[in-house]
């Protein structure tokens, strides 16, 4: 796996291109898809996927893709990187992710950065769904999305039901395997998988399921049903998360490791990849300058995955990530190391790793890369892998967390939750700013007095248990906003609109799944406890 740019033959539609003098604003063009218009930089490509259904929807190309991404995209086996791009496709069930936001206007009301550097929303008024990625220039992407307008040809479509969070689509032990495997940028079609099942010895596949540097983010095949189907054929899985790379970690490396592990757990839970499974962090080659930051990031990644009940794997180069992990091997090391060494040897032996490290069926080896293979009439570019991984298994759910103690002077999401709930319970009229100041203190004391609690102004266990209220689909108001804000803070993007609709239900289920709670979609006292802890 190396940073790679793939060639692309594509249809480019130039709609209303503008030539501007050097001192004018940057040239732009208008892009129209079914009456939904965006104004984009003139140098962006516009690619019609209906005309070219095997085109790879790339993460490294400034482009607008029109139509649904194909199920047999011709992508490089692996590439890493993101820039600003947009996909506009028909609004149907296949286009609606569990965390998609609904825009009541052509341009979305709320745009914000996210851990995975993706933006997804539906525009029912135009019958389209929009998904976008960004690299270092979120502001340019936001400007493009805010330029949206509709013309008279736009046709409305009903908003499909959000997909429900999967119960386990595979077993945790389906991330164990000893034998031949491969990884590919996009999850292949079921037809290809059936053909390769019949004609090859491969029985493990690497799937790129998340991360801010995931090259292939448009993956129509990668669903819980697809995972279940392939597991039924005898396949095993290497779930790969491509997060922040070494040069982007900086002084917040540990915080990034934690937040990206949480994002990976959210993504895994949505696909039905259960606790106990191995999740792999793809850390591409880097210079020794970044060693300290990378180790801090990977230690935090591993610790957070363990806290959420998952096993940690790391993919890397023998001369960077694997070298550094081997030199610091110990209690904070990942459970599995997956190394790249293109020697065509189907084993997990290497002189670069101490023979006592990751010695108990804890290694995988990528032995060649970027090879096109044809089996059963289906061709795919892959990286070849040999696995000896036997660490995954069922886990005991972690104990219920304690209620936090929130006091005068506190700041942050827990304070916002207190403020939302006080506004819901006693119409306190508080500004929800996350700052526990005098007004919030007075409202807490008034609530405690009204409910027979010690009037100390501290929101501890007894006050929390009186303050929280059960909410579920159909509920409205500030308590719902508290839930929605908390979900977003936990990395599950949710519109904070006070309306507990199907999308909020789906996101609550996603949070419950990752917390090993029953997937009820109802925020009861236990779910509140996990949300605010």
């Amino acid at each position: 796996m190396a940073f790679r740019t793939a060639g692309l033959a594509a249809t480019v539609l130039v709609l209303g291109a503008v030539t501007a003098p050097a001192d004018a604003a940057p040239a732009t063009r208008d892009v129209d898809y079914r009456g939904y218009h965006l104004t984009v930089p003139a140098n962006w490509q516009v690619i019609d996927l209906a005309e070219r259904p095997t085109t790879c929807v790339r993460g490294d190309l400034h482009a607008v893709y029109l139509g649904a991404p194909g199920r047999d995209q011709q992508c490089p086996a692996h590439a890493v990187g993101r820039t600003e791009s947009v996909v506009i496709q028909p609004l149907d069930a296949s286009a609606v992710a569990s965390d998609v936001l609904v825009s009541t206007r052509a341009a979305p009301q709320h745009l914000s950065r996210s851990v995975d550097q993706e933006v997804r929303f539906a525009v029912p008024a135009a019958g389209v769904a929009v998904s976008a990625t960004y690299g270092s220039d979120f502001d340019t992407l936001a400007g493009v999305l805010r330029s949206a307008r509709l013309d008279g040809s736009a046709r409305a479509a009903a908003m499909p039901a959000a997909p429900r969070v999967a119960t386990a689509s595979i077993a945790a032990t389906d991330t164990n395997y000893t034998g031949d495997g491969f990884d590919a940028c996009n999850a292949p079609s079921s037809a290809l998988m059936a053909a390769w099942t019949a004609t090859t010895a491969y029985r493990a596949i690497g799937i790129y399921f998340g991360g801010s540097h995931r090259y292939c983010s448009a993956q129509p095949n990668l669903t819980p049903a697809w995972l279940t189907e392939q597991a039924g054929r005898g396949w095993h899985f290497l779930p790969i998360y491509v997060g922040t790379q070494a040069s982007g970690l900086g002084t917040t490396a540990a915080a990034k490791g934690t937040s990206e592990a949480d994002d990976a757990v959210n993504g895994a839970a949505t696909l039905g990849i259960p606790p106990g499974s191995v999740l792999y962090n793809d850390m591409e080659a880097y210079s020794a300058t970044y060693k300290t930051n990378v180790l801090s990031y990977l230690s935090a990644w591993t610790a957070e995955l363990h806290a959420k009940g998952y096993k940690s794997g790391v993919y890397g180069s023998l001369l960077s990530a694997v070298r550094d992990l081997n030199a610091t091997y110990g209690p904070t090391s990942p459970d599995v190391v997956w190394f790249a060494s293109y020697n065509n040897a189907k084993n997990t032996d290497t002189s670069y790793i101490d023979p006592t490290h990751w010695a108990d069926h804890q290694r995988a080896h990528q032995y060649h890369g970027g090879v096109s293979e044809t089996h059963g009439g289906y061709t795919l570019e892959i990286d070849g892998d040999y696995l000896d991984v036997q660490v995954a298994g069922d886990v005991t759910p972690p104990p219920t967390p304690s209620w936090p103690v929130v006091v005068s002077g506190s700041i942050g999401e827990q304070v916002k939750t207190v403020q939302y709930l006080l506004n819901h319970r006693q119409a306190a009229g508080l500004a929800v700013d996350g700052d526990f100041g005098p007004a919030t203190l007075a409202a807490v004391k008034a609530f405690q007095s009204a409910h027979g609690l010690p009037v100390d102004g501290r929101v501890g266990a007894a006050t929390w248990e009186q303050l929280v209220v059960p909410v579920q689909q159909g509920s409205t108001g500030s308590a719902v906003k508290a839930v929605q804000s908390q979900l977003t803070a936990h990395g599950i993007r949710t519109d904070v609109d006070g309306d507990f609709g199907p999308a909020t239900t789906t996101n609550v289920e996603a949070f419950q799944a990752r917390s090993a709670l029953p997937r009820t979609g109802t925020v009861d006292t236990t779910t509140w406890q996990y949300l605010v802890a």
Side-chain angles (χ1 to χ4, degrees):
M1 297 183 189
F3 286 88
R4 188 179 306 162
T5 300
L8 175 69
T11 300
V12 179
L13 308 178
V14 181
L15 305 176
V18 177
T19 301
D23 59 349
T28 60
R29 67 175 62 170
D30 178 75
V31 178
D32 172 19
Y33 182 71
R34 298 186 174 187
Y36 178 86
H37 292 254
L38 290 177
T39 301
V40 306
N43 62 351
W44 282 29
Q45 294 189 33
V46 182
I47 301 165
D48 189 335
L49 296 176
E51 292 184 3
R52 302 190 67 89
T54 63
T55 295
C56 183
V57 179
R58 297 168 50 176
D60 69 337
L61 182 69
H62 284 128
V64 181
Y65 298 91
L66 304 179
R71 294 190 178 277
D72 290 294
Q73 298 175 40
Q74 298 299 307
C75 293
H78 175 81
V80 169
R82 280 281 178 84
T83 192
E84 294 70 48
S85 67
V86 180
V87 178
I88 313 171
Q89 65 186 101
L91 179 59
D92 57 29
S94 66
V96 178
S98 61
D99 61 351
V100 72
L101 304 181
V102 180
S103 178
T104 57
R105 301 193 296 263
Q109 296 95 315
H110 308 291
L111 286 174
S112 59
R113 289 173 171 83
S114 62
V115 174
D116 63 3
Q117 296 184 196
E118 296 182 21
V119 177
R120 294 178 287 275
F121 59 92
V123 187
V128 300
V130 180
S131 58
T133 63
Y134 61 93
S136 60
D137 196 354
F138 174 79
D139 291 340
T140 290
L141 177 68
V144 166
L145 298 178
R146 290 187 178 115
S147 75
R149 62 181 179 84
L150 307 184
D151 67 24
S153 67
R155 294 292 177 266
M159 182 68 190
R164 296 186 67 80
V165 174
T167 55
S169 58
I170 62 174
T173 51
D174 287 330
T175 59
N176 290 333
Y177 190 62
T178 299
D180 292 340
F182 69 88
D183 56 273
C185 191
N186 260 300
S189 67
S190 289
L192 183 148
M193 294 296 290
W196 282 38
T197 302
T199 57
T200 76
Y202 294 127
R203 287 300 181 272
I205 178 171
I207 50 170
Y208 291 87
F209 75 99
S212 62
H213 281 61
R214 179 174 61 153
Y215 183 91
C216 292
S217 59
Q219 298 209 44
N221 298 321
L222 187 54
T223 64
W226 183 90
L227 288 168
T228 299
E229 182 179 20
Q230 308 324 317
R233 290 182 171 133
W235 286 84
H236 301 257
F237 306 94
L238 297 93
I240 307 163
Y241 184 93
V242 192
T244 304
Q245 296 299 298
S247 62
L249 292 173
T251 57
T252 59
K256 285 187 172 77
T258 299
S259 65
E260 293 186 6
D262 285 339
D263 187 52
V265 168
N266 289 339
T270 299
L271 285 170
I273 302 172
S277 303
V278 185
L279 305 181
Y280 292 86
N281 188 294
D282 179 347
M283 178 55 66
E284 295 290 332
Y286 56 86
S287 73
T289 305
Y290 301 114
K291 172 183 175 180
T292 299
N293 289 346
V294 169
L295 290 175
S296 178
Y297 167 84
L298 292 176
S299 292
W301 160 271
T302 296
E304 187 68 3
L305 287 188
H306 287 172
K308 297 297 169 60
Y310 285 81
K311 299 290 187 178
S312 167
V314 172
Y315 166 90
S317 165
L318 284 174
L319 299 180
S320 52
V322 177
R323 173 198 62 202
D324 296 338
L325 288 168
N326 183 60
T328 56
Y329 184 82
T332 62
S333 296
D335 303 288
V336 180
V337 67
W338 179 10
F339 63 89
S341 177
Y342 289 1
N343 59 8
N344 291 312
K346 294 185 179 182
N347 58 43
T348 58
D349 301 330
T350 176
S351 61
Y352 287 86
I353 300 177
D354 186 303
T356 65
H357 297 170
W358 300 286
D360 189 12
H361 306 288
Q362 296 170 273
R363 298 185 189 183
H365 173 200
Q366 188 178 84
Y367 58 82
H368 70 202
V371 177
S372 288
E373 295 190 8
T374 301
H375 304 285
Y378 289 85
T379 300
L380 186 67
E381 185 175 318
I382 66 169
D383 297 331
D385 303 298
Y386 184 82
L387 291 73
D388 182 16
V389 177
Q390 299 292 334
V391 302
D394 295 335
V395 297
T396 302
T400 302
S402 300
W403 291 104
V405 177
V406 185
V407 299
S408 180
S410 298
I411 57 173
E413 190 63 34
Q414 292 169 340
V415 177
K416 289 173 66 176
T417 300
V418 170
Q419 292 167 331
Y420 275 126
L421 289 171
L422 288 168
N423 286 344
H424 179 86
R425 294 298 305 275
Q426 61 184 31
L430 295 171
V432 180
D433 56 8
D435 185 354
F436 199 131
T440 301
L441 178 61
V444 168
K445 288 183 175 179
F447 179 84
Q448 291 172 328
S449 177
H451 289 81
L453 298 167
V455 182
D456 57 9
R458 297 165 57 86
V459 182
T463 301
W464 277 114
E465 288 171 358
Q466 291 289 324
L467 191 58
V468 299
V469 293
V471 289
Q472 59 189 352
Q473 189 160 329
S475 300
T476 60
S478 291
V480 175
K481 288 184 178 180
V483 170
Q484 294 167 329
S485 185
Q486 278 285 357
L487 288 169
T488 299
H490 281 281
I492 305 174
R493 290 174 294 188
T494 309
D495 260 345
V496 182
D497 58 8
D499 182 3
F500 201 129
T504 299
T505 300
T506 296
N507 290 349
V508 168
E509 289 177 354
F511 178 80
Q512 290 170 328
R514 86 172 210 191
S515 303
L517 295 172
R519 297 176 179 85
T520 64
T522 296
V523 183
D524 57 10
T525 300
T526 300
T527 302
W528 273 116
Q529 200 163 348
Y530 276 82
L531 280 170
V532 303

